[in-house]
């Protein structure tokens, strides 16, 4: 049976960043990830502060080489029909980014590989067995791996933690129905993120590298309107006839090139992100509402904090891991308050279930 110090379940942003950092520090790691799905991965906006994190990781030059688009701020119709602009111009870190997510994740995976981390495609974990020395993992395709530690970086499913019966609390039922458009020319140069609240929830759009533009509708998965927009025609009709941002489609002759698909976008977190010889990072530990544009940053940030905590733990620091757990829960409580505050600013739709739920949440937790 193959042996490593740390097995990392999930090779997205968080898992690859942790593999890179730990391997660079001389720890043997193996990333177990599902086979790569062709197509486009959602989640693209990075705030200006991300540049500091890439510099800290030593990957800033690699990030710059990948042709991501600078983004100069947000434009939102939130609480009013007119759009208000928030520019990053006063941010000491400069502008933000709209990234090609596949390239970003590939750059992190390649950086981990160059540090000696192995990556194996698996079709699920078949067996998880606790031993005195750590864990024995058996994959659905018959591979066996012994690891002293496991990092759960499997995204919102927090697959490893849920197999340890750790509770995951979902704070809402938010889902996104997102599609990708491509323009024939590069005349659309507007790389502000646009956000527009509507009766059933809210939309956002962001320009991406390669003349592409993502449009996503966010609402609660159980609401009838959300179920209806799983149909491509209904989704397009809602975008083109029910929003202001939909005008961009005609204006720049965009064509839908990836049909809308529904993905979970809820706020949810594990009751604890650190257990006996395992810990969780990224969305697996705590997932953020896309409104916050925090997910990628938190994936990188928690990968960094967790890697440093593990290295300190290996050096004999008895409080490093509990400090990591405390850091995570503190951040998440702050985030939940900020999220409630932001939703409470939209008061135009008092009778709409989506907004009523958000106003109620604010009243219950002032
Ligand atoms: C609609 C939407 C818009 C968003 N927009 C933004 C944005 O603008 N800015 C931002 O910062 N964030 C955004 N996010 C959030 C961001 O995409 C996530 O926070 C980020 O992807 C988290 O990275 P991760 O590595 O933790 O998880 P993921 O990127 O989900 O990676 C998890 C990995 O684990 C693998 N995996 C899962 N289960 C298993 C298993 N059982 N075995 C093996 N491998 C497994 C998956 O294949 C995947 O590779 C958005 C999210 C949504 C839903």
């Amino acid at each position: 049976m193959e042996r490593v110090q740390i097995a990392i379940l999930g090779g997205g942003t968080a898992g690859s960043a942790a593999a890179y950092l730990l391997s660079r520090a001389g720890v043997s790691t193996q990333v177990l990830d599902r086979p790569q799905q062709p197509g486009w991965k959602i989640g693209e906006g990075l705030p200006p502060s991300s540049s500091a994190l890439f510099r800290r990781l030593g990957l800033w030059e690699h990030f710059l080489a990948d042709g991501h688009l600078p983004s100069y701020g947000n434009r939102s119709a939130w609480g009013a029909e007119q759009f208000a602009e928030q520019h990053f111009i006063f941010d000491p870190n400069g502008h933000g980014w709209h990234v090609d997510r596949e390239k970003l994740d590939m750059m992190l995976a390649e950086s981990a590989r160059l540090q000696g981390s192995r990556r194996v495609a698996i079709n699920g974990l078949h067996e998880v067995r606790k031993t005195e020395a750590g864990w024995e993992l058996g994959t659905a395709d018959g591979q066996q791996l012994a690891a002293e530690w496991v990092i759960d970086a499997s995204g919102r499913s927090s697959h490893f933690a849920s197999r340890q019966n750790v509770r995951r609390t979902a704070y809402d039922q938010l889902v996104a129905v997102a599609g990708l458009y491509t323009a024939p020319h590069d005349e659309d140069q507007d790389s502000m993120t646009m956000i527009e609240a509507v009766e059933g929830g809210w939309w956002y759009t962001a320009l991406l590298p390669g003349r592409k533009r993502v449009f996503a509708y966010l609402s609660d998965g159980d609401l009838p309107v959300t179920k209806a927009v799983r149909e491509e025609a209904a989704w397009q009709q809602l975008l083109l006839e029910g929003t202001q941002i939909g005008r961009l489609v005609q204006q720049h002759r965009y064509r839908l090139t990836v049909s809308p698909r529904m993905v979970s976008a809820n706020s949810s977190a594990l009751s604890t992100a650190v257990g006996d010889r395992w810990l969780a990072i990224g969305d697996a530990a705590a997932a953020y509402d896309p409104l916050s544009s925090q997910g990628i940053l938190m994936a990188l940030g928690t990968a960094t904090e967790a890697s440093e905590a593990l290295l300190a733990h290996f050096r004999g620091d008895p409080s490093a891991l509990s400090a990591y757990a405390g850091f995570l829960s503190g951040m998440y409580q702050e985030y939940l308050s900020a999220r409630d505050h932001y939703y409470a600013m939209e008061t135009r739709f008092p009778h709409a279930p989506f907004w009523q739920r958000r106003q109620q949440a604010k009243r219950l937790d002032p």
Side-chain angles (χ1 to χ4, degrees):
M1 183 181 296
E2 203 176 340
R3 291 179 186 280
V4 288
Q5 278 171 287
I6 303 189
I8 301 173
L9 188 69
T13 310
S16 295
Y20 162 72
L21 286 165
L22 289 162
S23 307
R24 195 177 66 172
V27 175
S28 64
T29 63
Q30 185 165 134
V31 176
L32 308 171
D33 195 31
R34 289 206 177 115
Q36 266 210 328
Q37 302 293 325
W40 138 82
K41 180 169 174 179
I42 193 141
E44 56 291 310
L46 277 175
S49 58
S50 55
S51 60
L53 196 48
F54 281 108
R55 284 195 178 94
R56 184 175 162 196
L57 290 169
L59 296 174
W60 180 233
E61 298 304 325
H62 295 279
F63 176 85
L64 287 180
D66 273 342
H68 305 299
L69 274 188
S71 166
Y72 297 100
N74 298 325
R75 193 179 292 128
S76 38
W78 194 273
E81 204 178 320
Q82 298 77 22
F83 282 90
E85 295 196 346
Q86 281 177 302
H87 289 266
F88 293 142
I89 197 160
F90 298 115
D91 195 301
N93 293 298
H95 56 72
W97 299 90
H98 288 172
V99 297
D100 177 327
R101 192 61 195 285
E102 218 179 335
K103 273 196 181 163
L104 175 64
D105 283 4
M106 271 169 53
M107 182 274 280
L108 292 167
E110 176 61 8
S111 302
R113 192 187 67 78
L114 289 173
Q115 296 297 332
S117 178
R118 214 173 146 225
R119 190 181 179 100
V120 176
I122 64 163
N123 283 306
L125 269 188
H126 187 60
E127 205 187 339
V128 174
R129 213 159 62 80
K130 185 87 181 51
T131 63
E132 259 179 42
W135 301 93
E136 283 177 8
L137 309 175
T139 70
D141 14 41
Q143 304 173 67
Q144 298 283 323
L145 179 69
E148 291 165 26
W149 276 78
V150 173
I151 294 181
D152 187 346
S154 62
R156 280 187 158 85
S157 70
S158 47
H159 184 78
F160 190 84
S162 54
R163 287 182 76 139
Q164 309 311 309
N165 297 320
V166 179
R167 187 167 43 87
R168 188 174 184 95
T169 304
Y171 296 89
D172 54 57
Q173 302 182 58
L174 197 69
V175 294
V177 188
L180 192 68
Y181 284 81
T182 306
H185 306 291
D186 58 3
E187 60 185 27
D188 183 4
Q189 298 284 327
D190 187 351
S191 67
M192 302 276 280
T193 302
M194 292 178 76
I195 299 167
E196 181 176 354
V198 294
E199 189 157 8
W202 55 277
W203 285 83
Y204 84 82
T205 182
L207 186 68
L208 299 178
R211 296 179 278 111
K212 297 190 171 65
R213 186 173 269 284
V214 53
F215 286 91
Y217 176 59
L218 284 293
S219 187
D220 287 333
D222 62 325
L223 295 177
V225 60
T226 315
K227 289 183 177 153
V229 298
R230 291 182 86 142
E231 293 294 325
E232 184 175 310
W235 180 86
Q236 273 197 298
Q237 189 181 10
L238 198 61
L239 170 64
L240 300 179
E241 295 171 18
T243 71
Q244 302 181 68
I245 60 171
R247 289 181 201 144
L248 289 167
V249 172
Q250 270 190 343
Q251 190 184 341
H252 299 294
R253 287 167 290 146
Y254 274 105
R255 277 190 37 241
L256 186 66
T257 41
V258 181
S259 294
R261 63 167 196 261
M262 187 180 282
V263 291
S264 172
N266 68 2
S267 295
S268 58
L270 292 177
S271 58
T272 173
V274 177
D276 183 11
R277 287 184 178 256
W278 68 267
L279 56 76
I281 58 176
D283 278 6
Y288 291 71
D289 189 318
L291 192 58
S292 70
S293 252
Q294 291 288 308
I296 303 174
L297 207 58
M298 289 312 293
L300 295 169
T302 54
T304 308
E305 295 292 333
S307 302
E308 286 174 1
L310 272 171
L311 293 171
H313 174 78
F314 295 155
R315 287 193 302 268
D317 180 344
S319 59
L321 294 173
S322 53
Y324 170 68
F327 153 82
L328 266 183
S329 63
M331 292 279 288
Y332 207 67
Q333 285 313 314
E334 270 179 39
Y335 150 74
L336 286 174
S337 311
R339 178 198 70 149
D340 289 352
H341 176 74
Y342 204 76
Y343 275 110
M345 285 161 59
E346 177 51 89
T347 54
R348 285 177 296 160
F349 314 107
H351 304 297
F354 178 86
W355 296 102
Q356 275 178 348
R357 289 172 182 179
R358 268 87 191 151
Q359 305 300 341
Q360 255 162 18
K362 179 70 185 158
R363 275 199 297 276
L364 291 174
D365 185 18

